[in-house]
Amino acid sequence: MASSLVFGYCIIISICLVLASVSAQSTRAFFVFGDSLVDSGNNDYLATTARADAPPYGIDFPTHRPTGRFSNGLNIPDIISLELGLEPTLPYLSPLLVGEKLLIGANFASAGIGILNDTGFQFLHIIHIEKQLKLFQQYQKRLSAHIGAGAARNLVNRALVLITLGGNDFVNNYYLVPYSARSRQFSLPDYVRYLISEYRKVLRRLYDLGARRVLVTGTGPMGCVPAELAMRRSTNGDCDVELERAASLYNPQLVEMIRGLNQEIGADVFIAANAYRMHMDFISNPRAYGFATSKIACCGQGPYNGIGLCTPASNLCPNRDLYAFWDPFHPSEKASRIIVQQILRGTTEYMHPMNLTTIMALDSMT
């Protein structure tokens, strides 16, 4: 009798594992790594000054409450999920990321981080990229316990991954203060080469952990954000020349590094997203995209609303859709939607070697 019960119990467990495996195979998970451009709330669980947990952040989110996103509403990962018909990923540190929610994927991003572990030190406790990758390993162990090792491996291999890094390594490291430690250690060209070499290790580690479709964004026009216009005392709204030089050195080398990594692997695992071009389209011609300005942030204070943080005491524009920038550093939800359209459908000037729509079509045939 006891042996029959044990046998029956084993059959039930086996059926449950098979059903979980089928569910995992029919779901395309989405994993997000990076900084504040893609953080959906991890920093709310950390003792850090890099937070978006107070109004008016989230004013246009469905709940009209702060969520930890550095946006008035949805951010880029949210909009990608929406466009692909996926459920938005939860922050990895969220207590809600349990059970079936693990099948959706997870967002490991943390505001303030960069490619280098010393980037963002002033923000205290943030999840540097090395730790994000360790949490990704931890996630896979949790997923394996839920659906089995084979199904978990398949889910990760089939997943879409987005990684956004690099901007903070310039604005919150090399150019953080005059004569910063990194600027004394490296000339700008040497620093860019160092960043690219370190980023290559990060991407290779992602591949080794099972990622097979990875969108890699370059830096945007760092010298054109309201914070830099204000801090560098731009009198006519012109972008900062030195930060623009940094972007012009970094982005082409990132594309070349990705091309070489794909050749080494023998597949188009990594897709380069030209975030600089995507932003500059509406920064250089805001009215063509329905914006009243691409120089003044909707939320902030001081010149260009670019000083300090967006807080309940800040200036706040009444119509966020007229502003390309929500706060001194981050795009508005409307601007993020424009960026995602280029990720989905952009030509090879924006997405190399292919856009996300092409990726999804190709992957649906395998």
Side-chain angles (χ1 to χ4, degrees):
M1 179 68 176
S3 61
S4 298
L5 286 172
V6 170
F7 179 74
Y9 180 73
C10 290
I11 291 292
I12 291 169
I13 292 295
S14 299
I15 290 170
C16 289
L17 286 172
V18 168
L19 290 174
S21 175
V22 170
S23 173
Q25 290 171 8
S26 63
T27 302
R28 183 150 203 176
F30 185 25
F31 299 108
V32 181
F33 301 86
D35 56 28
S36 59
L37 289 166
V38 292
D39 184 356
S40 2
N42 280 309
N43 279 21
D44 281 6
Y45 300 94
L46 302 171
T48 177
T49 55
R51 301 167 73 95
D53 60 345
Y57 283 102
I59 189 172
D60 298 312
F61 197 76
T63 59
H64 305 292
R65 296 169 63 87
T67 62
R69 293 163 173 82
F70 287 76
S71 173
N72 57 301
L74 304 179
N75 64 9
I76 288 170
D78 293 325
I79 299 163
I80 290 175
S81 294
L82 195 64
E83 290 281 351
L84 299 182
L86 306 174
E87 192 172 333
T89 55
L90 290 168
Y92 184 70
L93 299 184
S94 169
L96 301 178
L97 187 67
V98 293
E100 293 297 295
K101 292 290 185 183
L102 291 167
L103 304 181
I104 297 165
N107 187 315
F108 300 90
S110 177
I113 74 141
I115 297 164
L116 306 181
N117 280 333
D118 58 297
T119 293
F121 70 91
Q122 68 273 32
F123 301 124
L124 304 177
H125 300 289
I126 51 180
I127 313 171
H128 294 284
I129 190 60
E130 184 180 327
K131 180 63 182 292
Q132 290 185 29
L133 296 178
K134 288 179 180 176
L135 292 178
F136 187 35
Q137 285 182 282
Q138 184 185 94
Y139 161 87
Q140 292 188 44
K141 290 178 183 176
R142 293 173 60 195
L143 184 67
S144 294
H146 184 60
I147 62 174
R153 186 165 52 251
N154 184 55
L155 183 143
V156 170
N157 289 161
R158 291 184 65 252
L160 179 68
V161 178
L162 172 67
I163 183 166
T164 295
L165 288 173
N168 283 325
D169 293 289
F170 295 101
V171 299
N172 281 311
N173 192 329
Y174 194 84
Y175 292 109
L176 178 62
V177 292
Y179 308 108
S180 68
R182 288 297 189 183
S183 68
R184 294 196 307 272
Q185 181 183 10
F186 293 105
S187 68
L188 179 61
D190 287 344
Y191 184 64
V192 168
R193 283 189 285 272
Y194 176 58
L195 285 180
I196 295 296
S197 68
E198 292 299 300
Y199 204 176
R200 191 183 193 280
K201 296 173 188 176
V202 170
L203 296 181
R204 183 70 211 201
R205 181 68 181 137
L206 255 183
Y207 177 80
D208 292 343
L209 289 172
R212 295 296 180 266
R213 284 295 193 196
V214 185
L215 306 177
V216 185
T217 66
T219 69
M222 300 176 287
C224 304
V225 301
E228 297 302 331
L229 298 183
M231 284 190 287
R232 296 171 193 278
R233 296 181 173 84
S234 175
T235 56
N236 54 7
D238 287 346
C239 303
D240 179 72
V241 173
E242 188 64 12
L243 279 167
E244 289 303 277
R245 177 173 169 245
S248 72
L249 290 172
Y250 175 85
N251 286 321
Q253 290 185 46
L254 178 64
V255 174
E256 284 305 307
M257 180 267 280
I258 287 170
R259 184 180 287 118
L261 197 51
N262 283 339
Q263 287 175 349
E264 179 183 299
I265 292 167
D268 289 327
V269 171
F270 299 100
I271 311 297
N274 188 344
Y276 187 92
R277 175 74 182 272
M278 293 172 187
H279 282 81
M280 279 308 292
D281 282 351
F282 57 75
I283 286 175
S284 60
N285 191 4
R287 295 191 181 279
Y289 294 85
F291 296 118
T293 178
S294 60
K295 301 184 186 302
I296 302 169
C298 168
C299 182
Q301 45 276 315
Y304 305 100
N305 274 347
I307 301 295
L309 301 172
C310 172
T311 71
S314 296
N315 301 320
L316 178 66
C317 68
N319 186 348
R320 274 70 67 185
D321 286 348
L322 295 179
Y323 287 73
F325 286 95
W326 155 246
D327 69 9
F329 283 104
H330 304 96
S332 62
E333 178 183 318
K334 181 179 174 180
S336 293
R337 288 182 179 275
I338 293 168
I339 291 165
V340 170
Q341 286 307 307
Q342 292 293 5
I343 291 173
L344 284 164
R345 301 177 181 89
T347 65
T348 50
E349 291 180 63
Y350 296 89
M351 298 291 293
H352 184 81
M354 68 190 98
N355 60 35
L356 183 51
T357 300
T358 303
I359 291 169
M360 299 301 287
L362 286 173
D363 291 352
S364 69
M365 296 186 285
T366 60

